Amino acid sequence: MQKEQPPLANGRIGLGMMRIDSLDSSGIRALYSAARGLGITLFDHADVYGREWHDCERRFGSAVKLAASEREEIVLQTKCGIRMDAPGLDFSAEHILRQVEGSLRSLGTEYLDVLMLHRPDTLVEPEEVARAFDELEESGKVRTFGVSNHTGGQIDLLRTCVRQPLIANQVQFGLGHAALVAQGLAANMEGNPQSYDLDNGLLTYSRVHGMTLQVWSPFQSGFFEGSIFDLPGQRPLQSSLSRIAEKYNTSSSAIATAWITRHPARMQVILGTTRADRISESILGSKIVLTRAEWYELYEAAGYIVP
Ligand SMILES: NC(=O)c1ccc[n+]([C@@H]2O[C@H](COP(=O)([O-])OP(=O)(O)OC[C@H]3O[C@@H](n4cnc5c(N)ncnc54)[C@H](OP(=O)(O)O)[C@@H]3O)[C@@H](O)[C@H]2O)c1
C-alpha cells in the first residue's frame, strides 16, 4: 500500500506548464502569480514541453525566479523518459540522471519535489531505474517519484527494484477521454469496443493500491483533438454541461472539473489553461459534488454507454 500523495495546498487542482511557450515572460509571471493567489501549489512540467529540451522549464525558471521561501511553498514536478533527439523512450539510468540535471538547471532549483517517468519504456530495466532513483534521492535532487501513463503491471515491474514509493500516476482522463472508467462500466460486453481493456484495469489498480491518479488534458477530446467546450461533435455534452452549470450557477468548465473530482478515486486535475479566470472556475468546480444522476448524464452525453 502506498498512500503518500503529492502535497497540494488547494484541494485537487494543479497547473500544467506544457502550453506556456505561447506566453511571453511577463505572461508566464502573471499566470504563475494568479495561480499562487488562487492557492495553486503544484506546477507540472516535463523535459519535452516546448520546442526543444527543457524549453518550458527554462521559460518558467527565468520568468518566475523563485526565492528560497517561495520555492519551499510550491511543488515542482517534472517528467523524463521521452526522447526528443532520437526515436522512442529511454529509462536508462544515464538518461534519467542527465535529464534531471537539465531540469534542475532550467527551472532554477536545487531539487524537484516529484520526478515522473513520462511514458512506459518497454526496454526498461527496473534495476537501472532503481539505481537512478537511489542516486537522485541520496543527493537530495529529487524528493519523491512517480510515473505517468503506466499500467498497474508496469508499476509492479518497477516496484520489483525501486525502493521509493511511486506516489502518483499521471494519465489522461476527462469527459473527452473517459477510457479509464468506460471499460469497467461495459465489462464483459462482447463486441462492444467500450469493453476493451486499454490499460489493464488501471482505475481499480490505483484504488486498490491507494495510488494517486493525476489527470492530464482534462478538457481535451481524444488525443489533442480540441476542447470539449468547442468541438461541434460534442454538442450533446455541451448542452448537458450548460444545463447543469446553470443549476449550480457556474460555468461549463467548473462542471467538467466537478465531473472528474466527483469520482471517489480522488483524482488530482492538471489544468492546461493559460488563463487565470479558467483556473478559478475549475477550483470552484472541484468543490461541487455532482449527483450520481448528473455524473452519469454527462458521461452518456459524452458518447459513452451505461449498459
Ligand atoms: N503526462 C502526460 O503524458 C501529459 C500529456 C499531456 C499533458 N500533460 C500535462 O497536462 C497539462 C494539461 O494538458 P492540456 O493543456 O492538454 O489540458 P486542458 O486543460 O484539457 O487543455 C488546455 C487547452 O484547452 C483550452 N481550454 C481550457 N478551458 C477551456 C474552455 N473553457 N474553453 C475553451 N478552451 C479551453 C486552453 O486554452 P486557454 O489557455 O486559452 O485557456 C488550452 O489551450 C499539461 O500542461 C501538462 O502539464 C501531461
Side-chain angles (χ1 to χ4, degrees), residues 1-4 159 165-166 205-211:
M1 285 291 212
Q2 304 197 26
K3 300 265 181 217
E4 204 176 332
R159 283 177 174 157
L166 297 172
Y205 176 93
S206 306
R207 294 184 76 181
V208 167
H209 290 272
M211 186 169 186

Side-chain angles (χ1 to χ4, degrees), residues 10-281:
N10 197 330
R12 310 270 285 284
I13 308 291
L15 189 60
M17 298 283 105
M18 183 179 75
R19 299 179 191 265
I20 60 168
D21 58 342
S22 66
L23 301 174
D24 62 15
S25 231
S26 67
I28 295 172
R29 232 178 347 266
L31 178 68
Y32 175 81
S33 305
R36 292 286 290 127
L38 290 164
I40 298 282
T41 53
L42 173 69
F43 295 88
D44 181 65
H45 288 269
D47 57 0
V48 287
Y49 293 164
R51 299 160 205 185
E52 56 189 12
W53 285 125
H54 306 293
D55 183 21
C56 288
E57 291 175 331
R58 201 173 300 120
R59 288 167 191 263
F60 178 92
S62 68
V64 174
K65 290 207 180 17
L66 294 163
S69 58
E70 173 79 0
R71 175 66 190 90
E72 284 300 323
E73 287 174 13
I74 66 167
V75 176
L76 278 183
Q77 169 174 292
T78 196
K79 315 180 201 77
C80 67
I82 299 178
R83 298 286 310 217
M84 276 182 123
D85 55 345
L89 293 307
D90 193 343
F91 286 3
S92 65
E94 185 196 8
H95 182 73
I96 294 171
L97 294 169
R98 185 174 52 239
Q99 293 310 105
V100 168
E101 289 302 330
S103 293
L104 293 173
R105 221 174 15 252
S106 306
L107 290 163
T109 182
E110 287 175 3
Y111 65 92
L112 300 171
D113 296 281
V114 188
L115 174 70
M116 287 179 162
L117 298 175
H118 204 152
R119 276 200 169 273
D121 172 13
T122 192
L123 303 180
V124 64
E125 316 261 11
E127 300 81 358
E128 288 261 318
V129 175
R131 182 157 67 77
F133 282 12
D134 282 347
E135 198 170 318
L136 292 167
E137 186 183 52
E138 278 154 27
S139 61
K141 290 179 180 168
V142 176
R143 294 192 170 172
T144 56
F145 299 86
V147 292
S148 176
N149 304 304
H150 276 60
T151 66
Q154 290 165 336
I155 294 164
D156 285 342
L157 175 64
L158 289 170
R159 283 177 174 157
T160 59
C161 294
V162 168
R163 285 184 310 107
Q164 296 78 8
L166 297 172
I167 63 169
N169 188 6
Q170 193 179 102
V171 296
Q172 188 176 9
F173 183 62
L175 279 161
H177 183 106
L180 200 62
V181 295
Q183 187 274 324
L185 276 164
N188 199 30
M189 288 192 69
E190 216 170 85
N192 184 326
Q194 198 180 297
S195 76
Y196 300 166
D197 184 351
L198 300 178
D199 59 21
N200 287 138
L202 179 59
L203 177 66
T204 309
Y205 176 93
S206 306
R207 294 184 76 181
V208 167
H209 290 272
M211 186 169 186
T212 300
L213 286 168
Q214 284 186 354
V215 170
W216 60 261
S217 290
F219 307 139
Q220 291 292 302
S221 193
F223 192 64
F224 302 119
E225 286 161 16
S227 123
I228 53 171
F229 309 111
D230 299 324
L231 287 172
Q234 297 277 15
R235 294 287 180 247
L237 174 59
Q238 289 153 13
S239 60
S240 279
L241 283 168
S242 305
R243 194 186 53 71
I244 296 171
E246 208 170 311
K247 172 187 158 190
Y248 287 96
N249 193 23
T250 189
S251 64
S252 291
S253 26
I255 298 301
T257 308
W259 188 81
I260 297 167
T261 53
R262 170 66 177 80
H263 198 283
R266 298 187 51 76
M267 302 171 194
Q268 297 178 344
V269 184
I270 308 296
L271 300 175
T273 186
T274 50
R275 285 177 39 176
D277 59 329
R278 288 181 170 161
I279 302 174
S280 172
E281 287 174 3

